[in-house]
Amino acid sequence: MLEQFIRYYQEQQLFGPQDKLLVATSGGIDSVVLCDLCKAAGLSFAIAHCNFQLRGADSDRDEAFVKEMAAFLKVPFHSIRFDTKQYARDHKTGTQVAARELRYEWFEKIRSANGFEFILTAHHADDNIETVVMNFFRGTGINGLTGIKPVHGKIRRPLLFARRAALEHYLAAHQLAFVQDESNLHDDYTRNYFRNIVLPQIEKVYPEVRQNMLHNIDRFKDVDVLSQQEIERLQKRLVQHVENEWRLPVPLLKKTPAVKTVLLNLLKPFGFTASQLPDITRLLDSDSGKYVLSTTHRLLKDRKHLIVSDQKSIGSSVIIIEKEGEVAFSNGRLKIERAHAANLTSDERVAFVDADLVQFPLLLRPWKIGDYFYPLGMSKKKKLSRFFMDKKLSLFEKERVWVVEMNKKIIWVVGYRMDDRFKVTPHTKNVFKLSFLK
């Protein structure tokens, strides 16, 4: 295993023998083996451990174990404790996503602050297999079938060559201690479901499924390389850059094989996604003036071209509101002032909000694809695109809609509807009046 480990990180050029490395370590089998291999290979490394405080005493046990292991290996030890559940609530995300965001952000801080060249994680071949299978069922392009990359920025994954069984054999042969995360044995997380149920069931029919998947991943990588080369060739042929616009000729696009895949790859750098492909391909036969928006760009049908333009270049901007007062924007003026709850009105050009829930600065900006809010009177969130559809807004009307935002929460869809989370209630003590003045 040691020889394979050294050969793999050298062949993949993951790091050099003199590089300072930071090894992400949970205390489980994979990371324990990675630390032992780094020590046996004579690498210069430190250990970093995150206590996510999700499993009570077991989380503290894991932290203590990793600290003792670092002392035994005589390498520096870094640790941190996160209130992961609170972070997940604050950012309205799942616990697993929250833990991933927290740990990688912290790893990078430790790396840059202490002069480490790279961060090592213990992802192995079976992790790779699970990821590809999950991506396939979730929905992905060819790149999603190439699996976990050995290199991602400053992150290096030197165990991707090894199967889980080989790591367990190494652990037993070297009599290494480890801690078991009981959550890995449960099926309530998506990865655990595929690991503990889906793949074992498939193995009953195709016993070599895991090895076959690894061979497939290698083939998918080659296909992805060839695909990217062809996309680069087509990009030179199909995309014309003129000032702040990119033009794609519709007649040539219609003659291009696999046009959906080509369009997705050409437009992905501008923020367009696979879910928008039906709308994008319809533009090829639509009338001039029809368009599709990404979070940053607009794709417009103009006679015989599809034209990509930065939304900022079509009059969009973001205005920072530091305090009460009045600001001008492309549609008119927005005025924020103190008011009394007794003066409430049903005028859509005015919104009364609980001032104690508002924190400056606010953002006044054009709406974008993916925006959502909780329309006044509703307890469920609604995408603005759906809200506009229900309101039967024209393309021109939608293009002129702006929102007032605070900490990534929409307070008011200006001139249409305020967010229920900021409404005035019988318990409200202070009120802001937001007025849209055309």
Side-chain angles (χ1 to χ4, degrees), residues 292-350:
V292 177
L293 294 176
S294 74
T295 54
T296 56
H297 289 75
R298 178 172 70 173
L299 180 66
L300 174 72
K301 173 66 178 297
D302 182 24
R303 299 181 183 179
K304 295 183 178 181
H305 287 86
L306 297 183
I307 300 176
V308 182
S309 55
D310 190 320
Q311 290 198 44
K312 292 180 181 179
S313 70
I314 56 175
S316 300
S317 60
V318 176
I319 298 171
I320 300 175
I321 303 174
E322 300 282 0
K323 58 183 179 179
E324 301 168 44
E326 191 172 308
V327 296
F329 65 114
S330 62
N331 290 359
R333 290 172 292 138
L334 177 72
K335 186 177 183 180
I336 302 177
E337 58 187 327
R338 295 281 176 173
H340 299 289
N343 295 332
L344 298 186
T345 174
S346 59
D347 189 345
E348 288 185 334
R349 293 171 299 177
V350 176

Side-chain angles (χ1 to χ4, degrees), residues 20-28 31-39 43-50 62-80 106-107 110-111 114 116 118-121:
K20 287 182 61 179
L21 308 171
L22 182 67
V23 182
T25 309
S26 66
S31 58
V32 166
V33 170
L34 177 56
C35 288
D36 195 77
L37 287 170
C38 287
K39 188 69 174 181
L43 300 175
S44 173
F45 71 101
I47 285 175
H49 176 80
C50 299
D62 293 356
E63 181 181 356
F65 171 82
V66 177
K67 184 177 182 180
E68 289 180 11
M69 185 177 71
F72 176 77
L73 294 174
K74 297 180 180 179
V75 297
F77 174 70
H78 302 270
S79 67
I80 192 171
W106 179 69
F107 289 155
I110 294 298
R111 186 201 67 78
N114 293 273
F116 294 107
F118 301 113
I119 301 163
L120 272 55
T121 67

Side-chain angles (χ1 to χ4, degrees), residues 90-92 318-323 334 336 353-366 368 371-374 402-414 418-423 432 434:
D90 291 344
H91 292 77
K92 291 183 170 54
V318 176
I319 298 171
I320 300 175
I321 303 174
E322 300 282 0
K323 58 183 179 179
L334 177 72
I336 302 177
V353 302
D354 190 327
D356 294 328
L357 300 178
V358 175
Q359 294 179 339
F360 291 98
L362 306 178
L363 295 183
L364 175 63
R365 61 166 177 82
K368 60 181 183 288
D371 276 347
Y372 68 89
F373 76 132
Y374 292 75
W402 287 56
V403 299
V404 177
E405 176 187 289
M406 182 196 78
N407 294 333
K408 298 184 179 180
K409 295 178 182 178
I410 290 177
I411 297 176
W412 187 28
V413 181
V414 178
M418 66 169 286
D419 192 294
D420 191 80
R421 293 170 292 182
F422 296 90
K423 68 184 177 183
F432 276 143
L434 281 63

Side-chain angles (χ1 to χ4, degrees), residues 375-392:
L376 183 63
M378 295 178 62
S379 59
K380 293 184 178 179
K381 68 182 180 182
K382 194 170 195 174
K383 285 192 172 182
L384 263 61
S385 55
R386 172 57 63 179
F387 175 74
F388 298 154
M389 191 179 299
D390 294 343
K391 297 283 286 186
K392 295 182 170 58

